[in-house]
Amino acid sequence: DIVMTQTPRSLPVTPGEPASISCRSSQSLFNSYDGHTYFDWYLQKPGQSPQLLIYTLSYRASGVPDRFSGSGSGTDFTLKISRVEAEDVGVYYCMQRIAFPYTFGQGTKLEIK
Amino acid sequence: EVQLLESGGAFIQPGGSLRVSCVVSGFTFSSYAMSWVRQAPGKGPEWVSGISGSGENTYYRDSVKGRFTISRDNSKNTLYLQMNRLRAEDTAVYHCAKDKYYDSSGLFDIWGQGTMVTVSS
């Protein structure tokens, strides 16, 4: 199975400040046949189920504010929030879907200072 | 409005069987693959199984192969997961998740709230 490793595990942030979460995969998530990177970010807000945030490396899901951006290549990926807001609290998960079984990272808990 | 509503979770002894269901509304069910994704208490999500829109193609993680069976009834807009020979490590909230495409891609654009399955003696 492809192992997804996230850092940091906990991220306290002051509102209005930027935040960054990293994720590394044990194998490349780039598909050379179609040129896509099969890597996504999800956010699980307190008491809710996960919601899609960023898909195929850098595409924002419907309704996701443009303060969220995804980048990276191959095995190293980053989620950036340009200015954190109170509603961004929760656990962020990275996920690979280039191969079965689809696998998630352990999560990064973002909290407001 | 798109909705996924799971049911059937229970407290069950090791070795037992259980079927959980997911009734959907708000989209053409047969046009999309579906998956079950579980989340053990305090842990991250873990993909369990997926099925194509017609039900022709099914996919499982190794730890549930031969024990779990995913199926769907497109006439009832319902997804199922039959779980046999349950183990303590199967304890989790089981979410159904809508795939963005007809065959399983792992791109889950809608998730249900989940149903709790507890396996314990």
Side-chain angles (χ1 to χ4, degrees):
Chain A
D1 297 2
I2 296 176
V3 177
M4 306 297 288
T5 304
Q6 287 182 236
T7 54
R9 296 298 306 278
S10 178
L11 184 58
V13 185
T14 300
E17 293 296 303
S20 178
I21 300 171
S22 296
C23 181
R24 176 168 289 178
S25 59
S26 60
Q27 298 177 35
S28 175
L29 304 184
F30 178 73
N31 185 323
S32 57
Y33 292 104
D34 61 14
H36 292 311
T37 300
Y38 289 91
F39 175 83
D40 310 313
W41 290 99
Y42 288 85
L43 166 60
Q44 187 167 26
K45 294 184 176 182
Q48 297 184 18
S49 52
Q51 60 188 74
L52 182 64
L53 206 60
I54 301 286
Y55 65 96
T56 317
L57 183 63
S58 60
Y59 296 91
R60 279 188 299 277
S62 176
V64 174
D66 60 7
R67 63 178 182 275
F68 289 91
S69 63
S71 63
S73 63
T75 60
D76 288 280
F77 309 97
T78 303
L79 174 70
K80 291 184 179 177
I81 310 173
S82 58
R83 294 174 306 279
V84 170
E85 297 187 6
E87 65 181 23
D88 300 336
V89 299
V91 183
Y92 291 78
Y93 295 101
C94 60
M95 179 195 161
Q96 69 80 20
R97 52 186 175 90
I98 199 170
F100 289 111
Y102 308 133
T103 48
F104 293 82
Q106 325 95 299
T108 295
K109 187 173 184 178
L110 186 148
E111 58 183 25
I112 299 296
K113 280 184 183 175
Chain B
E1 182 190 4
V2 174
Q3 285 193 325
L4 309 178
L5 186 61
E6 302 93 335
S7 63
F11 187 102
I12 192 154
Q13 291 191 334
S17 296
L18 189 67
R19 188 178 80 164
V20 293
S21 304
C22 171
V23 178
V24 315
S25 59
F27 65 96
T28 305
F29 184 55
S30 59
S31 295
Y32 298 95
M34 298 290 294
S35 275
W36 287 99
V37 181
R38 66 187 178 186
Q39 200 163 12
K43 302 291 187 182
E46 180 179 77
W47 176 81
V48 174
S49 179
I51 187 168
S52 61
S54 65
E56 181 177 352
N57 299 326
T58 57
Y59 311 89
Y60 300 92
R61 67 180 306 105
D62 283 350
S63 62
V64 308
K65 268 181 196 173
R67 299 190 300 124
F68 289 12
T69 303
I70 191 171
S71 63
R72 63 193 296 160
D73 185 336
N74 287 345
S75 69
K76 295 182 178 179
N77 282 2
T78 303
L79 175 73
Y80 302 101
L81 185 67
Q82 176 68 43
M83 301 181 286
N84 299 329
R85 304 202 307 275
L86 281 160
R87 307 167 179 167
E89 54 264 35
D90 296 318
T91 294
V93 173
Y94 284 72
H95 299 275
C96 61
K98 173 188 169 292
D99 201 290
K100 198 168 171 62
Y101 299 101
Y102 178 79
D103 202 355
S104 185
S105 72
L107 183 49
F108 306 131
D109 56 358
I110 305 290
W111 295 57
Q113 284 301 308
T115 187
M116 184 70 205
V117 174
T118 303
V119 185
S120 176
S121 53

